[in-house]
Amino acid sequence: MAATRQPDNSDRQFYQPAEEFFPANSHLALTFDDITLATLYSEILPRDTQLDTTLAENLRLNIPVISSDMDTVTESRMAIALALNGGLGLIHYNMPERQQLSEVSRVKNHVHGLIQEPIKVAPDQFIGDVLALIEQKKFGFSTFPVVDRKGKLVGLLSGHVVKPRYAKKKVSEALTPRAQVHTIKKKDLGKDPIARADKFFTEHIGIHKLLVVDEDDHLQGLITMSDVERITQERNAQFKPARDAHFHLICGAAVSATRNAFGELDRERIRSHVGALVERGADVVAVSTAHGHSKGVGDTVRVLRDAFPKLPIIAGNVTSAAGVEFLAECGANAIKVGQGPGSICTTRNVAGVGIPQMTALYVCLRAAAKKKVSILADGGITKSGDIVKALTLSQAVICGGIFAGCNEAPGEIVEISGKFYKQYRGMGSLAAMKAGSAARYGHLPNPAQKVAPEGIEALKEACGSVDRVLAQLIGGIQSGMGYLGAANLSQLREKARYIRVSPAGMREAAPHDVVELKTGN
Ligand code: XMP
């Protein structure tokens, strides 16, 4: 009985539900660190919480996390990693349309465990060249498929012979010839390639690599025993990969409100490019701009909704109820909320506009509930606690900076004074706009100097794999839900109780008055 009793008056007075707290604070725009969530009676263990979320009738994720459509965050590798963890990647559009189609195809054709483009060597290379390649690229492996100029399999160069003593020998002299190399035809991998490969490795004692070929013996990929073992273990993971009805990983692609040379919306081009994306299997498109409550974005969403009645459409960005209603009426299913919160954004400084994220989310969520669309909290997330707070007012979060330092983000790792970094830049930075994203900010391509950038170029410390980063984030979200007694995300939205935090309270929230030996994250 005591457990289900209504909170007594003092709880009620201090820790308020969203519909009381935000209107009571309507004179002030609040973001994540301005508030904290009150704990509630719980019978829920963090590990038992469910994180699945529905963004549209036919777009369901197993975790409520999406990677930003930014050219230093999401291409196929990132989208694959997100989908394997149950989330979604939005492939950016700062690339030729054909390339974006290929990126989507890579995600949709991804076979888990199959290295689709393994590093190959040629028969006429020297072992010394291979050793130099390993050193230069810092490869942690030394066995390579050998292919001829047309990509046909010639043999396998085993790590046992990739030694300095053989440096002057040619690969062709040292390789294991084709006839002795174990292969499988791609079509024979079947519906469950991992189970097929697992069986193969059990039956072939001592063989650790299985090469995949097509009908004409062209190399199509490589499966390693260590990957198969890791994946088999991961299959027991709580959050399953996000897949479509054909068991392919889900994938999203961003598009802009493209204009023709006369400055008019290029309806035909938008329609045909999205048609091609859908043909490649894209599960959702995001009409992604800095100002979604605008005619160009609305017209683009309408064009797409008319042409593709069942396609889930994300659109944004907005920070007002009117903006949400407008995009919902144009046909969007999920609305991106966030103007200026991003870690590389300067919109609020440059243009003087934008709303801190928690207030923006509350205002937008109310309109979204009326229109039966979902809300995506886009930008400003730096830690799992921010995600928990965002999810009290949205169906999923979109993160850029958190993933930009991951191995799967585009770009090379650079070393500066013994530390490793990856580039991360705003899509409104001058460099990104020159590379194509100007339309997102309402500018013409090749912006002249007088265009004011709304983002910066930066570095993120390299942080390992998406799996590792997501494991931390998911753990944090589940802890938050456990504290609130929320078994799933809709209970989290219902149960959340908020209170403002003072600057001293904010300092109290971080480690203090100690000498930190090792950070918790
Ligand atoms: P985080 O905080 O995750 O934010 O790094 C990523 C989000 O920021 C938005 N974005 C920008 N906003 N200027 C802006 O004002 C920019 O140059 C810019 N680039 C990205 C975008 O919504 C992204 O998901």
Side-chain angles (χ1 to χ4, degrees):
M1 271 310 280
T4 52
R5 208 191 310 138
Q6 286 296 309
D8 76 17
N9 279 342
S10 46
D11 280 354
R12 193 89 183 78
Q13 184 187 355
F14 285 85
Y15 311 141
Q16 296 173 321
E19 53 285 6
E20 288 171 30
F21 174 79
F22 286 98
N25 284 280
S26 61
H27 55 289
L28 202 60
L30 303 173
T31 190
F32 304 120
D33 281 346
D34 291 319
I35 59 133
T36 189
L37 298 170
T39 58
L40 292 166
Y41 171 75
S42 179
E43 294 182 3
I44 306 294
L45 290 176
R47 65 164 184 268
D48 296 330
T49 55
Q50 299 299 319
L51 299 187
D52 54 293
T53 186
T54 301
L55 305 186
E57 200 183 309
N58 33 11
L59 184 62
R60 212 177 151 79
L61 309 184
N62 295 329
I63 61 164
V65 183
I66 300 173
S67 65
S68 296
D69 53 299
M70 297 174 72
D71 62 4
T72 46
V73 179
T74 311
E75 291 180 355
S76 50
R77 275 188 76 196
M78 179 63 71
I80 289 168
L82 258 294
L84 283 172
N85 279 284
L88 170 73
L90 296 175
I91 309 269
H92 70 88
Y93 58 70
N94 233 5
M95 59 175 98
E97 287 171 349
R98 286 182 58 172
Q99 193 185 333
Q100 197 191 30
L101 296 178
S102 314
E103 292 293 320
V104 168
S105 290
R106 278 198 192 131
V107 183
K108 298 306 294 183
N109 297 332
H110 177 77
V111 178
H112 197 20
L114 175 69
I115 302 165
Q116 269 169 332
E117 282 167 28
I119 310 293
K120 305 163 272 256
V121 296
D124 53 359
Q125 277 182 288
F126 287 97
I127 301 285
D129 299 334
V130 179
L131 284 164
L133 182 74
I134 295 173
E135 170 64 23
Q136 185 203 344
K137 300 275 185 190
K138 308 256 176 299
F139 290 144
F141 53 88
S142 56
T143 297
F144 301 89
V146 186
V147 295
D148 67 12
R149 287 209 172 83
K150 291 189 172 146
K152 230 173 169 165
L153 188 63
V154 177
L156 186 71
L157 186 69
S158 150
H160 300 130
V161 297
V162 183
K163 303 266 184 242
R165 72 170 67 245
Y166 305 127
K168 294 213 163 65
K169 302 257 183 231
K170 284 210 158 174
V171 166
S172 54
E173 296 173 70
L175 56 72
T176 307
R178 169 68 187 92
Q180 292 169 31
V181 177
H182 291 276
T183 59
I184 185 166
K185 297 232 167 72
K186 195 167 183 187
K187 68 175 176 37
D188 295 334
L189 282 173
K191 251 201 129 179
D192 192 346
I194 293 299
R196 180 72 193 81
D198 198 30
K199 183 162 174 277
F200 168 87
F201 290 126
T202 308
E203 287 167 356
H204 297 79
I205 299 173
I207 304 293
H208 291 186
K209 296 207 163 45
L210 176 59
L211 300 185
V212 182
V213 292
D214 66 11
E215 296 299 311
D216 300 319
D217 218 28
H218 293 110
L219 184 69
Q220 297 289 299
L222 165 72
I223 300 180
T224 70
M225 188 161 87
S226 53
D227 281 352
V228 167
E229 285 176 350
R230 182 176 51 78
I231 293 163
T232 314
Q233 279 167 11
E234 281 168 11
R235 281 202 167 163
N236 303 326
Q238 190 181 4
F239 301 108
K240 303 283 176 243
R243 297 189 189 278
D244 63 19
H246 307 285
F247 211 64
H248 294 134
L249 295 179
I250 66 163
C251 179
V255 295
S256 70
T258 311
R259 293 183 182 273
N260 61 22
F262 308 106
E264 297 153 351
L265 197 67
D266 198 337
R267 292 160 200 271
E268 196 35 53
R269 185 166 163 189
I270 295 169
R271 217 177 347 240
S272 82
H273 179 53
V274 171
L277 286 168
V278 170
E279 239 167 66
R280 301 286 179 119
D283 300 274
V284 51
V285 291
V287 183
S288 203
T289 68
H291 187 18
H293 192 183
S294 59
K295 180 164 169 23
V297 178
D299 287 350
T300 305
V301 174
R302 275 201 199 96
V303 165
L304 296 179
R305 180 47 70 228
D306 286 348
F308 309 99
K310 291 205 165 341
L311 178 70
I313 298 175
I314 296 172
N317 283 24
V318 299
T319 45
S320 65
V324 171
E325 281 168 12
F326 170 72
L327 290 175
E329 279 161 18
C330 293
N333 307 96
I335 316 291
K336 292 211 280 166
V337 173
Q339 285 172 319
S343 55
I344 35 50
C345 300
T346 52
T347 296
R348 294 196 197 151
N349 291 339
V350 170
V353 301
I355 304 292
Q357 205 57 343
M358 286 302 284
T359 295
L361 288 172
Y362 176 72
V363 170
C364 290
L365 184 65
R366 292 209 311 182
K370 277 192 216 132
K371 291 285 174 187
K372 301 204 173 359
V373 293
S374 44
I375 289 292
L376 310 177
D378 182 10
I381 282 162
T382 58
K383 49 196 178 299
S384 54
D386 297 345
I387 303 185
V388 178
K389 293 173 189 176
L391 288 174
T392 64
L393 299 172
S394 66
Q395 277 72 24
V397 296
I398 301 185
C399 302
I402 272 187
F403 295 126
C406 290
N407 302 338
E408 293 86 345
E412 300 291 319
I413 291 180
V414 293
E415 186 181 345
I416 303 172
S417 310
K419 282 198 156 188
F420 295 96
Y421 301 90
K422 288 192 95 160
Q423 190 199 10
Y424 181 41
R425 67 184 185 190
M427 295 300 282
S429 66
L430 207 52
M433 286 203 287
K434 277 188 179 156
S437 66
R440 184 179 183 132
Y441 293 85
H443 300 306
L444 294 170
N446 300 323
Q449 284 301 330
K450 64 177 190 269
V451 168
E454 288 177 35
I456 59 161
E457 292 176 64
L459 292 174
K460 283 295 286 187
E461 215 170 305
C463 58
S465 69
V466 166
D467 290 2
R468 192 176 148 267
V469 170
L470 269 176
Q472 289 297 314
L473 297 179
I474 297 300
I477 300 171
Q478 292 192 293
S479 294
M481 291 170 71
Y483 278 116
L484 267 68
N488 54 43
L489 294 176
S490 81
Q491 288 185 11
L492 177 69
R493 287 192 293 275
E494 258 164 50
K495 292 191 168 205
R497 299 286 180 271
Y498 309 80
I499 185 163
R500 289 277 319 273
V501 174
S502 67
M506 215 189 301
R507 276 197 302 279
E508 187 186 64
H512 52 87
D513 300 308
V514 292
V515 178
E516 195 162 333
L517 292 175
K518 213 172 174 200
T519 56
N521 49 20

